[in-house]
Amino acid sequence: MYTTDIIEGTNRQYRKVTNTKSVFPSDTSLEKMLYLANENVVGKWIQRYQNWNQVLNQLIVLYGERITNYL
């Protein structure tokens, strides 16, 4: 399922961050580390695809007004 992949990917990023540092001085420091890791993960979700403008132009040529109504 698609959402499971997203959750597993996010958990993998959290494990990657927490494994590099084995001991956290406090719970707050762990929370801060996970918050920053979360910001990095979310930043990757909103990145544009490579060559998106070319793809969009081809979709406009193929589907015309059906696409431009949503731009």
Side-chain angles (χ1 to χ4, degrees):
M1 185 173 232
Y2 182 69
T3 55
T4 305
D5 292 340
I6 293 172
I7 293 168
E8 288 175 1
T10 305
N11 287 336
R12 184 179 66 243
Q13 292 297 322
Y14 291 158
R15 282 191 308 273
K16 185 177 177 182
V17 169
T18 56
N19 283 339
T20 58
K21 187 169 180 128
S22 59
V23 177
F24 292 94
S26 67
D27 289 343
T28 306
S29 63
L30 175 62
E31 289 174 0
K32 288 179 182 179
M33 182 74 76
L34 291 176
Y35 172 78
L36 292 173
N38 188 51
E39 291 297 311
N40 289 335
V41 170
V42 171
K44 291 178 184 176
W45 290 345
I46 59 175
Q47 288 179 349
R48 292 182 63 125
Y49 290 106
Q50 252 183 339
N51 301 324
W52 176 247
N53 290 334
Q54 182 180 3
V55 171
L56 185 58
N57 287 334
Q58 290 176 2
L59 289 172
I60 290 172
V61 168
L62 291 174
Y63 299 107
E65 196 172 306
R66 291 173 61 184
I67 298 291
T68 56
N69 287 342
Y70 294 101
L71 296 179

